[in-house]
Structures are given as C-alpha cells and as structure tokens.
Amino acid sequence: MTDTSGTKTGGETGGTRTVFLLAHTGRPAAIRSAELVVQGLLRAGLGVRVLAFEAADLPLPPDVETVPEATPEVLDGCELLIVLGGDGTLLRGAEFARASGVPMLGVNLGRVGFLAEAERDDLDKVVDRVVTRSYEVEERMTIDVVVRTNGDVVHRDWALNEAAVQKVSAERMLEVVLEIDGRPVTGFGCDGIVCATPTGSTAYAFSAGGPVVWPEVEALLMVPISAHALFAKPLVTSVTSVLAVEVQPGTPHGVLWCDGRRMVELPPAARVEVRRGAVPVRLARLHHASFTNRLVAKFALPVSGWRGAPH
C-alpha cells in the first residue's frame, strides 16, 4: 500500500516542521552522517529533535531539541523519523515508527539494510527530498504474536521481520508441531521455526532457507531451522491465516525472539500464535526503484549477460 498523503501533512508545530533523528552513535560513520543531516535540515529551516543520551555523543548545535526518554511520545509533532545505522538500528527505529505512526526513512550504514531507503553517499539527496517533501509513504505489514500456556495468554508481542521460536540447549533439539488455521501440518525436532512477513523474507527467514517474497505480496511465511524431518519445507500461507508453533511437553524449553531485539523465555508446552499485525510500519520512500533492483544491489547478484525482453 502507498499513502502519498503522508508527504503533505504532519510535523508542523507553530509553523516549524520537525524531524526526529535516531542514530547508532557507536559508529563513527553515524556520528558524521548525523552531523551532516542535522546541518542540512537546520539550514533549510526545519527543526531537529534527538534523544538526549544520543545527543551527548553527537556534535550538534544548541538549537537542536533534545528529549530525555525513548518513548513513542517523543515523536509527537514530527513529520518524519530519520534513522542512521545498520539493520539493528533500523529495526529499533521501526519500533518508534509503529508506535507513533510517524514514517521512517532509513539510511543504511551497515552491510545489507533492506529496510533502508538510502545509503551513506546519498545524504545530500536525503536532506533535499525531506526539505521538499519529495517522498511517499509505504505501509509494511507486521505480525502480532501471542504466547499461550494452558490456554492462557502469557505474552504478547509484534514484529516487522519475524518471530522466531528457537531452542536454548545446544545439545538437544526443540520438538514442535506446526499448525495453520487450526489444523496440524507436521511435527519434528529442529533448532527453531521462523514465522516471517514478506519484509522479513530477506532477513532471518532467508538465512534459514526460506523464499524471497516481494513486499507487495500479502502472505505469511513459516520456515524451519535445521529440521530433522523429510517434510520440513518453507511454507507460504495466506495473509489471513493464523500460524501456530506448539512446543511439545518434555522438550527443553525454548525462547521467542521478535525481530532479533525482544526475547522472552517460553514456558513448558508453550503455544506461539502468529497472525497479521493490526498496526503497520510506515516507511518513507524516495524513489520508485523496483524491489528486483534492490534485491540485485543488496546481494550483489550476478546479472551480467542479461539482454532483456525483445522489443
């Protein structure tokens, strides 16, 4: 889904447009990039807001606004969230974006950065597009995750990329039964199960052997990790499906990771349910480059010799 109205409204408080900046200040490249972005936005008359503990590590002018707490409310009045960093920082930014509804514009300073819209060399273009509001806003599907024990809900979470049920003990497998739409599919011992969105198909699910799914495809993925079974293939279901992973009684306890950032231990005989999320993450897009081009560029895929369709 694309929402172009996101480029026209929001972030104006008393006539000043405000942008929130989130950066991985542990990276020297992020510190320099943040300095360049802030300078460009301030020169254009936009306000900039940052977290106080990050501001302490950044060479910022005094007219940059700082806020003390990392809560969704700190983005109130902001039209855009600019995130500078690698995949982990971008996923951290996605937490803010989802909770606040403010679109996120990612600048990749890491290795792959599928969530990023720009690279480090594009900072001037990023600033120009933000100043002129030359961007569109795209909604990315999330997943909602529920953990049950004996029918009782013991934990709720969400993810943009994936929810992964994983073993803890290195010497013993996790015994699970997979379920889709209330019906059992198969059971086996494994290192874990990844339940992913199309956005997450190029993340952990990809590493586990899952398919690459174009972001506009509405689907859910279930990808086994090192399963000991003849039938342990990645599954792609309808976006309306409900996926479930039941950890078998007597098996070593497992853990649930959401986007590799939030972890909770699973109690014995836990049941993890995954369904389409109620709240999407909004991503700011600077151009209409196809996902195919992004895939080729990010993975440096060999395409030499391609001649294209005849005209």
Side-chain angles (χ1 to χ4, degrees), residues 112-117 138 140 161 197-203 206 210-217 221 283 285 287-301 303:
V112 182
F114 261 96
L115 290 175
E117 182 63 9
E138 173 184 296
R140 287 293 182 91
N161 277 347
T197 65
T199 298
S201 72
T202 52
F206 178 83
V212 174
V213 180
W214 267 235
E216 61 268 23
V217 176
L221 286 73
L283 299 180
R285 292 302 190 198
H287 43 69
H288 295 284
S290 72
F291 179 74
T292 306
N293 289 347
R294 184 184 294 267
L295 186 71
V296 169
K298 293 294 184 181
F299 287 143
L301 300 179
V303 294

Side-chain angles (χ1 to χ4, degrees), residues 115 149 210 235 271:
L115 290 175
T149 301
L235 304 176
R271 173 183 170 89

